[in-house]
Amino acid sequence: NAGVTQTPKFRVLKTGQSMTLLCAQDMNHEYMYWYRQDPGMGLRLIHYSVGEGTTAKGEVPDGYNVSRLKKQNFLLGLESAAPSQTSVYFCASSGVIDRGGETQYFGPGTRLLVL
Amino acid sequence: GQNIDQPTEMTATEGAIVQINCTYQTSGFNGLFWYQQHAGEAPTFLSYNVLDGLEEKGRFSSFLSRSKGYSYLLLKELQMKDSASYLCAASDSNYQLIWGAGTKLIIKP
């Protein structure tokens, strides 16, 4: 049981390049999330998904797109990378949350540097 | 607006007790989470409170006062491995987590 995995672990991009970050979970969770974490700031939600085939915008969605074609996978795309997108990106998953208290399980993170 | 406040950094001595405070303001409230994050690693779940009072789990305890919008995480018998950032997060009316910036806890021998 691997939990939540992310690829790649580290990437350097030039401004304007594109890339896709892959998140996979083997816990059969309905909910999946993409966050970014910057120094001195809390985790900020980029996009999330409440089930296969659905996505929704979070707090900071501009410059990112997502897809959830399969329940176990959640992809985050950067179409034209900018230096402001230099960050650590975390994927997380959780079960149904309408009962409250549902723990989010995090992947190991992807460190992205945009030059 | 929605906001979570917690101290940026705290220092404590090995074997001692430390209390990390968190205040929150959210649109609706469905509970308060504490996560631990070691440097360069992912956050991991520590505790969840939705009712007022103290929840104890080994060396770690978490307290919630809904009327005051206040929580704290209490760590006893501190060990060097407790050196980490501690993240406070409140669940809002849509069950989305609003995260604080984290408190970096430094443990000295």
Side-chain angles (χ1 to χ4, degrees), chain A residues 33 35 37 40-43 45 48 90 97-104 106-108 111, chain B residues 30 33 35 37 39-45 48 87 94-102:
Chain A
Y33 313 83
Y35 291 96
Q37 187 175 42
M41 303 182 73
L43 289 161
L45 185 64
Y48 65 99
F90 285 103
I97 64 172
D98 59 357
R99 295 184 299 272
E102 193 67 30
T103 301
Q104 291 189 15
F106 285 80
R111 284 148 186 81
Chain B
N30 282 300
F33 290 82
Y35 278 75
Q37 185 177 26
E41 297 183 7
T44 56
F45 171 78
Y48 171 73
L87 313 181
N94 294 317
Y95 297 95
Q96 298 295 341
L97 294 187
I98 311 302
W99 296 83

Side-chain angles (χ1 to χ4, degrees), chain B residues 3-72:
Chain B
N3 192 51
I4 306 287
D5 284 319
Q6 53 182 130
T8 301
E9 187 173 297
M10 298 182 70
T11 302
T13 304
E14 190 177 15
I17 299 173
V18 70
Q19 178 175 312
I20 302 174
N21 296 325
C22 170
T23 58
Y24 63 89
Q25 284 182 302
T26 54
S27 302
F29 180 73
N30 282 300
L32 194 293
F33 290 82
W34 284 96
Y35 278 75
Q36 180 189 59
Q37 185 177 26
H38 284 101
E41 297 183 7
T44 56
F45 171 78
L46 284 178
S47 69
Y48 171 73
N49 294 67
V50 66
L51 300 176
D52 285 355
L54 187 69
E55 295 274 349
E56 297 187 73
K57 194 183 292 185
R59 292 189 301 113
F60 292 8
S61 302
S62 55
F63 172 83
L64 176 67
S65 169
R66 295 176 66 125
S67 62
K68 295 182 179 178
Y70 167 70
S71 173
Y72 67 73

Side-chain angles (χ1 to χ4, degrees), chain B residues 84-105:
Chain B
S85 288
Y86 292 85
L87 313 181
C88 173
S91 178
D92 71 9
S93 57
N94 294 317
Y95 297 95
Q96 298 295 341
L97 294 187
I98 311 302
W99 296 83
T103 298
K104 183 178 181 180
L105 178 62

Side-chain angles (χ1 to χ4, degrees), chain A residues 34-51:
Chain A
W34 275 108
Y35 291 96
R36 60 177 290 172
Q37 187 175 42
D38 301 294
M41 303 182 73
L43 289 161
R44 291 184 292 168
L45 185 64
I46 304 170
H47 286 279
Y48 65 99
S49 168
V50 302

Side-chain angles (χ1 to χ4, degrees), chain A residues 67-88:
Chain A
S67 64
R68 182 109 180 258
L69 298 180
K70 293 183 179 180
K71 186 176 183 179
Q72 63 267 34
N73 296 336
F74 196 27
L75 279 65
L76 178 71
L78 286 74
E79 290 185 347
S80 179
S84 61
Q85 294 178 304
T86 292
S87 188
V88 179

